Amino acid sequence: LPWGSGGVLGFRRRRIVLPLHARTATDRMPSTLQPLLLFASLATAAAFPDGLWTGASYDGIEAAEEAVALHQVEVLKQFANSVEEVKERVQKTAPGWALGIVSAVAGFLDETVQVPAVKAHAAAMSLAQAVSLSDLRPGGRPVRWEHLTVVSGDGTRLRATVAIPQQRGGERASFPVVVMPNSWALCVLEYTLKQQEWAAAGYVVLHYQARGWFNSEGLIEVAGPADVADASAVLDEVGKRAAEWRADAEAIGMVGVSYGGGLALLGAAHDARVKCAASLSGWGNLTRALAGQAAPNQVWFDILMSTSILVGRPDPQIHAMWESLVSAVVDPAANVDPLLAWAEERSPEAFAAKMCGRRLPVLVSNNAQDELFVSDAALMLRQTLHGAGCRVQLLINQGVHAMAELPSLAGIGGLVAHQPVWDETLRFMQAHLRPSKEPPPAGAQQREVGHPHPPSRPAIRFQLRSPEGIFVAPRFVSYDRWPPREQEAVSLRLGQPLLGGGAAGGGGATGGEAAAGQAAAA
């Protein structure tokens, strides 16, 4: 719920409504309690996905929506200002010497706890693997963990963790590298279980916190040029540490979920050291994602901005761009050139030629009920990249945004039916970072039109819906091309006009053509 605004939050075909008269109460609420209202609202939305009515009549919905349009941006600004006021109040009321001590102790702990934190991290992951938590299984290579700071080209410091597989006695192998940028508002522990699992399978797995989030410096720029430069800085760090980590710097892939998926594709587009990329619940065209069919996605913008304020430092330009987007919908004469330029440099589709000029293998995975990055847009991204020459594998899973990926990341993969998206991603990395020298079994390779050496997996897979939902093993239907071969094309031509006159287009028509024309008109 957009707190303090009497707003409307849309879920499926219903809405959660906070009555307008509640606005005065939330406006008087202490600023320190407003984040709690936000989290309570999101929890309510998760508990009642089909919608919850809380005292507003249907006739009042339009008024509530109008209130959202008028107050939304202002409320978010007020919230950001309230956070700053709390900080300033603490700084003014606390003695300077006390603040100095706290700052010094915090800095000291931040640096000195790294060693015990790394040891605790490694011990926890070893235990998780021993008890087969989520997708982890006992065995595999021993894994060493390291926490590090990556310095980008402009001096911004980014926090990162890396899981490093250990060589066995007498072994001289090097390991492929997988780089994982964080999702929106998720911390450095997001991919910990996957890092352990994949490192035990023989991959150096580095997860970094994008600029503006948590302990990484800088501002959140929504996958802008600075974020692209950060990805290259991370690859530079991999190159510097390759000998120490026994990493193969010539075999690097990027994987990310949601925000991290967009960063993975953009990083791969701008840096040829990336040999393959996987975007899970990511986007291809930012304008289409935020304002598909010229309808700004206000609900998701509120959610994204609210969480970024709570756990990050968003660039003020984000609000300016959103305001210009909303203004363009209201006023067709508004100048949208700056907005389009801003969105284009953050859209992987705009760099299809750069990616596909080197025939980059790309895995795109999105979810059918995602209302942020919709599955139709994922199919458009697939068609764009495929047409430009990339080798593309597309998965469409059941679930809302990132829901196919989150159970395994959260450690509850064993509580629901296993979703194969992470298995497919690891198989994709295996195929392109260290492909087997043995030929695939006969019939295993499914050729895709236009590519002489396609991936061994089906080009496109759609997960079928099931009444039992996430508690039964998923089933899929697969295609080796799109549109599918099974789709038939029928052409109908107009024949004689239905009402008098000569033949259409000046030519005659057969009886069958005329009948077809009449049927089409009917």
Side-chain angles (χ1 to χ4, degrees):
L1 289 170
W3 67 100
S5 66
V8 180
L9 181 61
F11 275 82
R12 297 185 183 173
R13 293 185 178 86
R14 301 188 184 179
R15 295 180 175 93
I16 298 174
V17 180
L18 181 67
L20 289 175
H21 61 73
R23 180 171 184 265
T24 56
T26 51
D27 281 349
R28 291 195 297 267
M29 180 177 294
S31 58
T32 52
L33 295 182
Q34 291 191 15
L36 299 181
L37 177 59
L38 168 65
F39 284 119
S41 303
L42 295 179
T44 302
F48 301 94
D50 286 324
L52 174 68
W53 299 94
T54 60
S57 66
Y58 183 82
D59 294 336
I61 289 178
E62 290 186 1
E65 289 176 334
E66 182 179 357
V68 171
L70 295 175
H71 296 293
Q72 203 64 264
V73 172
E74 186 61 31
V75 167
L76 285 173
K77 289 180 179 178
Q78 290 175 3
F79 176 73
N81 292 336
S82 68
V83 173
E84 293 302 320
E85 289 173 5
V86 171
K87 294 179 181 178
E88 292 177 5
R89 195 176 306 130
V90 171
Q91 292 174 350
K92 290 178 179 178
T93 57
W97 60 267
L99 290 176
I101 291 176
V102 170
S103 178
V105 171
F108 174 77
L109 292 176
D110 188 48
E111 297 298 332
T112 58
V113 301
Q114 292 300 311
V115 173
V118 171
K119 290 183 178 179
H121 196 163
M125 288 302 97
S126 296
L127 177 60
Q129 187 165 359
V131 300
S132 299
L133 178 65
S134 193
D135 295 339
L136 291 173
R137 296 294 179 268
R141 295 176 178 274
V143 177
R144 178 172 68 86
W145 283 83
E146 184 176 330
H147 294 190
L148 64 151
T149 299
V150 177
V151 181
S152 190
D154 62 357
T156 301
R157 294 160 60 89
L158 310 174
R159 289 303 177 88
T161 64
V162 58
I164 308 162
Q166 300 300 287
Q167 293 180 333
R168 299 187 175 99
E171 189 179 26
R172 302 181 64 86
S174 58
F175 305 109
V177 180
V178 177
V179 175
M180 295 179 164
N182 67 292
S183 301
W184 189 271
L186 293 187
C187 71
V188 76
L189 299 178
E190 175 185 2
Y191 297 110
T192 293
L193 294 176
K194 283 300 157 191
Q195 287 180 273
Q196 177 73 23
E197 177 190 354
W198 289 12
Y203 292 82
V204 175
V205 189
L206 186 152
H207 163 50
Y208 74 94
Q209 201 80 55
R211 64 172 53 218
W213 293 107
F214 295 93
N215 290 333
S216 287
E217 297 175 350
L219 299 177
I220 300 168
E221 299 193 6
V222 194
D227 289 294
V228 172
D230 291 346
S232 291
V234 171
L235 300 186
D236 293 341
E237 187 71 18
V238 170
K240 295 174 186 176
R241 308 289 291 276
E244 176 187 349
W245 295 343
R246 300 292 190 269
D248 183 357
E250 299 298 319
I252 300 176
M254 292 191 71
V255 179
V257 176
S258 188
Y259 186 56
L263 290 174
L265 291 185
L266 289 167
H270 292 278
D271 200 315
R273 289 175 291 182
V274 180
K275 298 303 188 289
C276 61
S279 172
L280 313 181
S281 289
W283 74 92
N285 183 299
L286 192 59
T287 303
R288 187 185 300 139
L290 294 179
Q293 299 179 353
N297 196 334
Q298 183 74 55
V299 169
W300 267 107
F301 178 77
D302 290 341
I303 293 173
L304 297 175
M305 283 304 303
S306 302
T307 51
S308 69
I309 291 171
L310 290 174
V311 297
R313 298 168 301 282
D315 188 334
Q317 188 183 30
I318 300 173
H319 258 304
M321 289 300 164
W322 179 257
E323 290 174 352
S324 66
L325 175 62
V326 175
S327 298
V329 174
V330 177
D331 179 13
N335 180 18
V336 297
D337 291 343
L339 169 65
L340 295 178
W342 183 87
E344 183 175 9
E345 64 183 0
R346 290 162 171 80
S347 299
E349 277 186 13
F351 305 101
K354 294 188 69 172
M355 277 191 278
C356 304
R358 64 182 199 271
R359 294 180 52 76
L360 181 77
V362 177
L363 171 66
V364 176
S365 176
N366 286 76
N367 301 329
Q369 289 80 37
D370 192 340
E371 294 184 2
L372 175 58
F373 303 138
V374 299
S375 53
D376 280 353
L379 193 55
M380 294 179 193
L381 172 61
R382 186 266 171 192
Q383 295 295 83
T384 298
L385 296 180
H386 173 71
C390 283
R391 293 170 285 171
V392 189
Q393 182 180 345
L394 174 66
L395 304 176
I396 299 295
N397 315 288
Q398 291 300 317
V400 296
H401 183 64
M403 195 50 62
E405 300 88 351
L406 284 180
S408 292
L409 295 180
I412 60 173
L415 301 181
V416 297
H418 181 70
Q419 292 290 329
V421 59
W422 285 108
D423 293 341
E424 289 291 337
T425 305
L426 182 57
R427 187 179 290 112
F428 174 80
M429 292 290 147
Q430 170 78 30
H432 299 291
L433 295 183
R434 54 179 188 188
S436 172
K437 296 181 180 179
E438 299 179 3
Q445 200 171 49
Q446 306 218 7
R447 293 196 171 275
E448 184 176 0
V449 173
H451 293 301
H453 303 291
S456 59
R457 306 295 293 170
I460 300 174
R461 296 180 72 196
F462 294 96
Q463 183 179 347
L464 300 177
R465 299 193 68 172
S466 171
E468 294 83 4
I470 62 176
F471 298 103
V472 298
R475 297 179 298 116
F476 293 84
V477 58
S478 301
Y479 302 97
D480 64 351
R481 55 169 288 175
W482 194 263
R485 300 177 191 278
E486 294 82 357
Q487 175 177 310
E488 295 184 1
V490 178
S491 299
L492 301 177
R493 289 184 298 162
L494 292 177
Q496 296 286 349
L498 296 180
L499 298 175
T510 65
E513 290 173 334
Q518 294 172 5

